[in-house]
């Protein structure tokens, strides 16, 4: 869907509309021509299987072209409505979308399921002739052709996702996020209530996440693709005993602090936008609950530079490494150490999803590299693929066995990194540290991880503005939330006698 969305405004928008209309019409015409010609050939040969596949594939192409045309027309209509709203509310961009102005944002779970079914079925229909001819091509060209199965497998994946969305929709129905604050305030709060249409039995409560995302659509036509980069996120869990009774089901309070300095919502409906999203997830029997809502967050007169996000940081509890948790839901273990110190244990395999994805990718690349070599591909190609597979496998090993042990005492910090926490130990005095910083780490899908860095002053090295230019050394890494990373960094800084992290 994201790859087909266009923004129509002015002469450039009209050209985009014309391009999409021509693209959809060409796709539909191709379906008519190819479907008829292949069907006629199948009739002459008396091949009923080929006839059904040709007719089905041609119909799928025509349907896909029709969907592209419909999306282009709908986008034009939406752009016209946005332009009218902009003229009415030039200083209040949070009123440009009807659902924002009404303070009621629907989840659209049912609509998402329908679109997944449509695109999954169309994808499978278009790839059916390829799968039908695959055994014949393998016999002629060798086993490397089996890689073409990846195309129909995407369609199967879409159908599986459509089934899950449908089951979730039938189980939980639709939901509405009712805004208390319009808009959400950068350097302030975002308040809302999530109204479910059914009763939700979630013993572990509901996990809520607020994300600021930079979304870009690049390319043109069939080469258009969308990418999302998480700029900031925060999450917390609402306990079950904080759930309320809504008009038709369960109501869940939604409260977030948006730190000053984050980017405001902009470019809504364009190919380059900043959007804010609330995601709600709850583990229940059967299909888990999940829903997302795009919310308006802007800088207003209520914005305050003093709101940094530290107000929401949880307290750090010192526990034993063998049991208990340093923070609710955290996999980092903390215990008392030495004379008034603490030991922080970042154990191996703390992020099994990221480790699993990296492992699967490395195995897939290794298989492809082996097949390329077997088929006599040019050696730079097979060597490059094999080298990439080796690097990815190394990353997977680090995810599975890499661990860090940090021992902090007043005046000294020691960091040991390696397999299962066994490796070289480095130590620094408090006077050498400028701060313990929290930085963005890697991103896997919609999951952003955070890293902690020890910034060490380097004598004689300064930036252009004259400020110190410290070196950064890895401390804890791959933490799932910024709040957890900052709470741990602040605890280390406090133990050392430093101020809060930057």
């Amino acid at each position: 869907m994201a790859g087909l969305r266009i923004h129509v405004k002015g002469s450039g928008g009209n050209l985009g509309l014309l391009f999409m209309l021509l693209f959809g019409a060409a796709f539909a015409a191709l379906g008519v021509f190819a479907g008829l010609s292949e069907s006629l050939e199948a009739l002459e040969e008396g091949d009923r299987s080929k006839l059904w596949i040709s007719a089905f594939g041609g119909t799928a192409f025509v349907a896909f072209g029709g969907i592209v045309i419909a999306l282009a027309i709908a986008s034009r209509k939406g752009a016209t409505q946005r332009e009218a709203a902009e003229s009415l509310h030039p200083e209040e961009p949070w009123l440009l979308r009807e659902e924002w102005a009404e303070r009621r944002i629907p989840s659209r779970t049912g609509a998402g399921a329908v679109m997944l079914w449509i695109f999954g079925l169309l994808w499978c229909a278009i790839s059916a002739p390829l799968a039908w001819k695959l055994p014949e091509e393998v016999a002629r060209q060798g086993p490397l052709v089996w890689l073409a199965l990846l195309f129909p497998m995407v369609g199967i994946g879409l159908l599986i996702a459509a089934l899950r969305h449908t089951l979730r929709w039938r189980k939980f129905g639709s939901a509405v996020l009712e805004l208390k604050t319009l808009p959400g305030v950068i350097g302030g709060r975002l308040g809302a209530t999530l109204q479910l249409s059914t009763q939700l039995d979630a013993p572990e409560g509901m996990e809520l996440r607020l994300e600021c995302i930079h979304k870009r659509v690049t390319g043109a036509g069939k080469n258009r693709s969308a990418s999302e980069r998480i700029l900031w996120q925060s999450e917390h869990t609402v306990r079950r005993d904080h759930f309320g009774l809504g008009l038709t089901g369960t109501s869940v309070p939604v409260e977030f602090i948006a730190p000053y300095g984050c980017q405001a919502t902009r470019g809504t409906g364009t190919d380059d936008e900043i959007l804010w999203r609330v995601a709600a997830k709850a583990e229940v029997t059967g299909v888990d609950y999940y829903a997302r809502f795009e919310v308006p967050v802007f800088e207003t007169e209520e914005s305050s530079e003093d709101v940094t996000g530290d107000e929401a940081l949880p307290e750090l509890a010192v526990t034993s490494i063998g049991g208990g948790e340093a923070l609710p839901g955290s996999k980092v273990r903390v215990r008392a150490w030495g004379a008034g110190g603490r030991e922080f244990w970042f154990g191996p395999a703390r992020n099994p999803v990221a480790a699993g994805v990296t492992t699967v990718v490395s195995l897939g690349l290794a298989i492809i590299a082996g097949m390329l070599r077997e088929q006599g591909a040019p050696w730079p190609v097979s060597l490059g693929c094999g080298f990439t597979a080796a690097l990815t496998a190394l990353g997977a090993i680090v995810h599975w066995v890499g661990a860090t042990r940090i021992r902090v005492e007043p005046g000294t910090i020691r960091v040991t990194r390696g397999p299962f926490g066994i490796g070289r130990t480095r130590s620094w005095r408090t006077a050498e540290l400028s701060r313990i910083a929290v930085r963005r780490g890697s991103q896997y899908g919609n999951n952003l991880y955070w890293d902690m860095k020890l910034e060490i002053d380097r004598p004689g090295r300064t930036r252009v503005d004259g400020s110190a230019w410290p070196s950064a050394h890895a401390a804890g890494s791959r933490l799932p939330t910024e709040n957890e990373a900052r709470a741990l960094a602040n605890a280390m800084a406090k133990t050392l006698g430093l101020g809060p992290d930057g």
Side-chain angles (χ1 to χ4, degrees), residues 62-77:
V62 173
F64 185 81
I67 290 175
V68 172
I69 293 173
L71 287 174
I73 295 173
S75 179
R76 175 63 180 178
K77 181 179 179 182

Side-chain angles (χ1 to χ4, degrees), residues 47-400:
D47 190 340
R48 298 185 63 181
S49 298
K50 182 178 179 180
L51 175 63
W52 281 106
I53 292 176
S54 300
F56 190 54
T59 302
F61 271 75
V62 173
F64 185 81
I67 290 175
V68 172
I69 293 173
L71 287 174
I73 295 173
S75 179
R76 175 63 180 178
K77 181 179 179 182
T80 302
Q81 293 174 345
R82 282 194 296 271
E83 291 173 9
E86 287 175 0
S87 64
L88 292 174
H89 308 285
E91 303 298 329
E92 298 174 307
W94 48 88
L95 299 179
L96 298 184
R97 287 174 58 168
E98 182 179 355
E99 60 189 30
W100 291 353
E102 295 179 351
R103 297 176 177 254
R104 291 178 56 84
I105 306 174
S107 61
R108 296 190 178 88
T109 306
V114 171
M115 294 308 299
L116 281 172
W117 278 116
I118 292 175
F119 276 88
L121 290 172
L122 285 175
W123 193 290
C124 289
I126 292 173
S127 60
L130 172 64
W132 182 266
K133 292 286 186 179
L134 205 55
E136 179 182 334
E137 294 298 319
V138 169
R140 290 196 307 110
Q141 302 183 36
L144 190 61
V145 182
W146 284 113
L147 291 176
L149 274 177
L150 293 174
F151 190 74
M153 286 177 64
V154 171
I156 295 174
L158 288 172
L159 293 180
I160 293 174
L163 178 60
R164 287 185 59 84
H165 273 68
T166 302
L167 293 175
R168 183 175 292 122
W169 179 42
R170 288 180 58 86
K171 182 175 182 179
F172 302 107
S174 299
V176 175
L177 187 69
E178 296 181 348
L179 297 177
K180 295 180 181 178
T181 55
L182 182 65
V185 180
I186 291 178
R189 61 184 286 267
L190 168 71
T193 301
L194 176 58
Q195 299 285 0
L196 281 70
S197 58
T198 59
Q199 294 296 329
L200 183 69
D201 184 15
E204 301 300 322
M206 177 175 287
E207 180 183 297
L208 297 175
R209 175 181 295 179
L210 176 64
E211 300 173 327
C212 177
I213 298 169
H214 184 198
K215 184 175 182 180
R216 296 187 63 192
V217 179
T218 57
K222 63 181 181 180
N223 295 320
R224 287 170 66 86
S225 61
S227 62
E228 293 187 356
R229 180 171 179 263
I230 300 175
L231 303 178
W232 175 87
Q233 70 177 11
S234 177
E235 65 179 36
H236 67 271
T237 299
V238 179
R239 298 201 310 268
R240 182 181 180 182
D241 56 3
H242 287 180
F243 291 0
L245 294 177
L247 295 176
T248 58
T250 300
S251 67
V252 181
V254 178
E255 292 287 339
F256 283 101
I257 297 295
Y260 192 84
C262 288
Q263 297 191 50
T265 301
R266 66 165 173 81
T268 302
T270 68
D271 289 348
D272 185 8
E273 63 178 311
I274 299 295
L275 63 91
W276 286 76
R277 179 185 294 155
V278 171
K281 180 181 178 181
E283 295 183 359
V284 298
T285 304
V287 181
D288 291 340
Y289 178 79
Y290 183 76
R292 300 193 306 185
F293 309 84
E294 287 190 22
V295 295
V297 180
F298 291 86
E299 187 171 338
T300 69
E301 294 179 353
E302 299 178 10
S303 299
S304 172
E305 297 183 8
D306 297 330
V307 178
T308 62
D310 282 327
E311 303 85 354
L313 292 182
E315 291 294 329
L316 182 71
V318 177
T319 65
S320 66
I321 288 182
E325 297 179 342
L327 295 171
S330 174
K331 295 182 180 180
V332 178
R333 297 294 179 261
V334 184
R335 69 173 181 177
W337 177 262
R342 288 170 169 170
E343 180 181 75
F344 299 78
W345 170 246
F346 298 79
R350 287 180 292 111
N351 302 301
V353 173
V357 169
T358 310
T359 301
V360 171
V361 171
S362 65
L363 289 175
L365 289 173
I367 293 172
I368 293 174
M371 295 179 69
L372 288 172
R373 181 177 179 182
E374 181 182 343
Q375 295 299 314
W379 70 266
V381 176
S382 56
L383 181 63
C385 188
F387 183 69
T388 305
L391 287 180
T392 310
L394 179 60
I397 293 173
V398 171
H399 273 292
W400 286 117

